[in-house]
Amino acid sequence: MSVEKTYAEINTKIKAGKAIVVTAEELITLVEEKGLTKAAQEVDVVTTGTFAPMCSSGAFLSFGHTKPRMKMQKVWLNGVAAYTGIAAVDAYIGATEMHEDDPLNSNYPGEFRYGGGHVIADLVARKPVKLKALAYGTDCYPRRNLETTITLDDINEAILFNPRNAYQNYNCAVNLTDCTIYTYMGMIKPHMGNANYSTAGQLSPLLKDPHFKTIGVGTKIFLGGGIGYVAWNGTQHFPSMIDVEGKELGSAGGTLAVTGDLKQMNPRWLVGTSYLGYGATLSVGIGIPIPILNEEIARYAAKKDEELFAPVVDYGEAYPSFTPGNLGYVSYADLKSGKITVNGKEISTAPLSSMPRAREIAATLKGWIQKGEFQLTEPVKTLPSPADGFTAHSIKED
Amino acid sequence: MSPKRIVLRFGTDISVKPIVYRLVKDYDLVVNIVKADVNPQKEGTMILEVTGDQSEDGLNYLRNLGVLVQNLTQEIVRNDEKCVMCGACTGVCPTGALYMERPSMEVRFDGDQCVFCQLCVKVCPMWAMEVRL
Ligand code: SF4
Ligand code: SF4
């Protein structure tokens, strides 16, 4: 007998402390033991998790007014510039902005020790942060200079708003050239000396709901250790299914824009991150609950590492020159085993995405739901799915 | 007298056995090979503990042969507060001192296998690998 559940029914069970909640990995075991139909009937919610560097992250900060008033025109936090072209005392600090005095890649490969991601991590760790601002002065906002120290608790609002997080799937990076390269996928040795990948595989949120049946605008999530929401689809949201010779190899390029109050987040789940020779960013912990409304949703949520694939891409030549194509697909089971074979060569693999942390997130979210503290939200708008067939364009140059 | 911990790095032209033999025989040193990563095809690394009055002379003999000799007064440690167990370091560590435990995918650090190349110090995105004096 097929199963149909509603959000309301599941939430009633959550409130009563009776909901059956399992992590995506536990669902896989359950389906293996009892079969899909039985598992879909029993389970109400599946929790997912991912903890990895996520570019396109940042925070809106509203500092509060100075006395006399000031319409800030340039702002720095611990020497990292924030964008303040939005209002008098509002600014957006982006994760990849570097410290003003950073030597960048002038001494290649640069270390990129401190950037916007580190500022956000320091704020959420309740460390004092130096705020410097300049202005041109107006009749209503006469002040021109400010140098002070703030903490997260001193300022009025701090809203994490990450325009593109939780990449559904990602490339496995190798290097076909003769020299070591330093990329956002880490250090990659020549002649396919190593391979790096960055997805939690069978625990990764968007790999478990590839058709965006349950994750949409308004979905309540675990974000940075606190509560957050899906705000919209992420930038570069190009969901599709990878099909090779008629075989479905899982999903490709969906993303999420997520937001939440930074003040209730936790430094364990927002960590400043530096990539040698590339730049700085922020590692973000995200966990998304998937309600098991029917068997089809359960079937995708139960996909395991053996059934999920990543494209292998050459970051030495093909990626930088924007040459399409890849060197084939490898399963997350192979990637996690530590060895893959590409073009007949055995290569050792390393992840950039932390599995132990992803498991901790899925387990934490599961605990919240089991205790009745966290209820599910039905999306107020669904996101574009593979069926919508969105594709990417490159920049037109004159 | 406490032993001296040293790292040796040498090219493919140097073979290990005779040089260790000379350290023992000509310089009267007690030599304990802590770790050896020797492969005739590539550069070799060896960590030794040497004890004896003539240890400096013995090390100079090695230097004259073209061996890079480095004192192990420093060590590499992992700051467990900062490590997020991502695994990025396991792809660059040449000796397997940093490795993934499977299936937990937890990253382990075995200081005895470390040859102090400091690659992990540069590559760890969280600055969790530190040089301790
Ligand atoms: S790269 Fe750094 S943070 Fe990641 S596992 Fe290694 S030591 Fe830990
Ligand atoms: S310094 Fe780091 S990379 Fe080098 S051997 Fe030691 S643990 Fe491995």
Side-chain angles (χ1 to χ4, degrees):
Chain A
M1 197 187 79
S2 76
V3 58
E4 294 289 338
K5 284 173 237 170
T6 66
Y7 283 86
E9 283 163 9
I10 292 174
N11 277 335
T12 307
K13 281 175 125 181
I14 293 175
K15 270 185 255 175
K18 289 192 178 136
I20 305 298
V21 190
V22 298
T23 68
E25 288 189 318
E26 290 164 349
L27 179 71
I28 291 168
T29 318
L30 202 69
V31 168
E32 278 167 1
E33 281 168 11
K34 301 190 169 179
L36 181 67
T37 306
K38 194 106 204 305
Q41 280 165 354
E42 277 182 26
V43 173
D44 298 307
V45 186
V46 171
T47 60
T48 61
T50 178
F51 181 81
M54 297 196 194
C55 289
S56 208
S57 293
F60 286 103
L61 307 174
S62 189
F63 302 113
H65 283 283
T66 55
K67 209 174 164 184
R69 288 180 192 271
M70 178 176 189
K71 180 174 171 292
M72 298 176 182
Q73 196 207 355
K74 297 255 183 241
V75 163
W76 295 263
L77 293 154
N78 281 350
V80 181
Y83 178 73
T84 184
I86 37 180
V89 293
D90 287 358
Y92 184 79
I93 176 83
T96 66
E97 183 70 43
M98 288 313 304
H99 189 282
E100 287 259 298
D101 300 328
D102 195 283
L104 306 175
N105 256 344
S106 58
N107 186 9
Y108 181 81
E111 293 192 329
F112 300 93
R113 284 204 163 236
Y114 197 86
H118 298 87
V119 173
I120 295 169
D122 280 347
L123 279 170
V124 82
R126 260 68 188 179
K127 289 189 192 156
V129 168
K130 286 222 150 47
L131 166 65
K132 186 179 155 192
L134 295 178
Y136 49 84
T138 73
D139 291 340
C140 45
Y141 291 98
R143 186 160 178 169
R144 289 167 186 237
N145 274 299
L146 173 71
E147 276 194 44
T148 186
T149 306
I150 57 160
T151 68
L152 187 61
D153 299 308
D154 296 337
I155 62 177
N156 284 332
E157 286 97 15
I159 303 158
L160 190 75
F161 192 102
N162 302 344
R164 183 179 65 254
N165 274 185
Y167 242 113
Q168 193 167 36
N169 198 351
Y170 216 81
N171 298 334
C172 165
V174 296
N175 173 12
L176 293 176
T177 68
D178 298 330
C179 330
T180 295
I181 55 169
Y182 300 90
T183 72
Y184 68 84
M185 293 298 288
M187 173 181 146
I188 311 174
K189 291 181 257 182
H191 307 294
M192 299 204 292
N194 62 331
N196 285 350
Y197 66 99
S198 186
T199 306
Q202 61 189 15
L203 260 183
S204 184
L206 296 190
L207 282 175
K208 314 300 330 236
D209 184 12
H211 295 283
F212 295 87
K213 298 269 186 208
T214 71
I215 302 172
V217 177
T219 298
K220 186 171 157 189
I221 62 172
F222 171 111
L223 176 61
I227 303 290
Y229 295 88
V230 174
W232 202 251
N233 59 255
T235 53
Q236 301 185 19
H237 175 71
F238 303 116
S240 61
M241 300 302 284
I242 308 169
D243 292 297
V244 176
E245 291 159 8
K247 194 168 167 248
E248 184 183 281
L249 294 187
S251 45
T255 69
L256 296 177
V258 296
T259 187
D261 180 2
L262 189 65
K263 293 192 181 191
Q264 43 96 53
M265 295 183 195
N266 181 315
R268 184 169 175 77
W269 303 110
L270 292 173
V271 180
T273 304
S274 307
Y275 276 108
L276 186 66
Y278 172 73
T281 183
L282 184 70
S283 288
V284 183
I286 293 181
I288 304 185
I290 298 174
I292 300 302
L293 304 174
N294 57 48
E295 201 171 302
E296 195 202 354
I297 290 170
R299 182 163 66 84
Y300 279 107
K303 288 262 180 198
K304 49 190 172 196
D305 285 335
E306 288 78 3
E307 305 168 283
L308 299 165
F309 291 77
V312 181
V313 173
D314 168 33
Y315 274 64
E317 181 66 46
Y319 184 88
S321 63
F322 206 166
T323 309
N326 59 52
L327 304 166
Y329 293 90
V330 286
S331 77
Y332 280 97
D334 288 343
L335 285 167
K336 288 183 186 174
S337 78
K339 289 215 166 12
I340 55 170
T341 304
V342 179
N343 288 352
K345 187 185 171 186
E346 194 179 78
I347 314 172
S348 58
T349 61
L352 307 174
S353 167
S354 170
M355 274 313 287
R357 289 276 176 117
R359 285 201 183 102
E360 196 180 328
I361 291 171
T364 305
L365 183 55
K366 172 182 162 177
W368 289 350
I369 300 171
Q370 279 175 331
K371 274 187 259 159
E373 292 167 5
F374 185 112
Q375 286 168 39
L376 307 189
T377 46
E378 184 166 358
V380 291
K381 177 186 174 353
T382 56
L383 299 179
S385 77
D388 295 304
F390 284 3
T391 52
H393 301 281
S394 52
I395 293 183
K396 276 212 187 87
E397 291 182 69
D398 300 331
Chain B
M1 185 180 216
S2 62
K4 225 188 190 120
R5 258 194 161 208
I6 52 166
V7 190
L8 308 183
R9 285 173 224 277
F10 41 88
T12 47
D13 52 327
I14 290 175
S15 47
V16 181
K17 262 194 199 140
I19 62 170
V20 173
Y21 175 74
R22 296 281 296 272
L23 285 182
V24 176
K25 186 132 193 308
D26 298 357
Y27 298 93
D28 198 21
L29 302 179
V30 179
V31 177
N32 174 25
I33 301 180
V34 179
K35 182 171 167 50
D37 184 12
V38 188
N39 173 338
Q41 257 65 259
K42 57 169 198 170
E43 289 218 330
T45 347
M46 208 157 51
I47 297 184
L48 301 182
E49 275 172 355
V50 293
T51 327
D53 293 338
Q54 301 179 62
S55 64
E56 258 324 297
D57 298 338
L59 298 186
N60 279 333
Y61 152 75
L62 295 179
R63 289 189 184 102
N64 287 337
L65 284 178
V67 177
L68 197 74
V69 182
Q70 198 183 0
N71 275 324
L72 258 192
T73 47
Q74 299 169 314
E75 59 172 340
I76 298 283
V77 290
R78 180 166 66 171
N79 182 333
D80 290 332
E81 293 277 293
K82 286 191 181 168
C83 174
V84 301
M85 301 247 174
C86 64
C89 54
T90 63
V92 300
C93 177
T95 65
L98 283 157
Y99 64 97
M100 309 254 10
E101 204 165 74
R102 296 190 161 78
S104 75
M105 302 300 272
E106 286 177 2
V107 178
R108 300 270 172 253
F109 175 54
D110 175 2
D112 288 344
Q113 303 291 316
C114 173
V115 294
F116 204 74
C117 69
Q118 299 190 49
L119 268 176
C120 58
V121 177
K122 298 193 192 106
V123 158
C124 170
M126 313 300 170
W127 302 104
M129 298 305 294
E130 297 170 356
V131 178
R132 186 179 289 167
L133 296 178

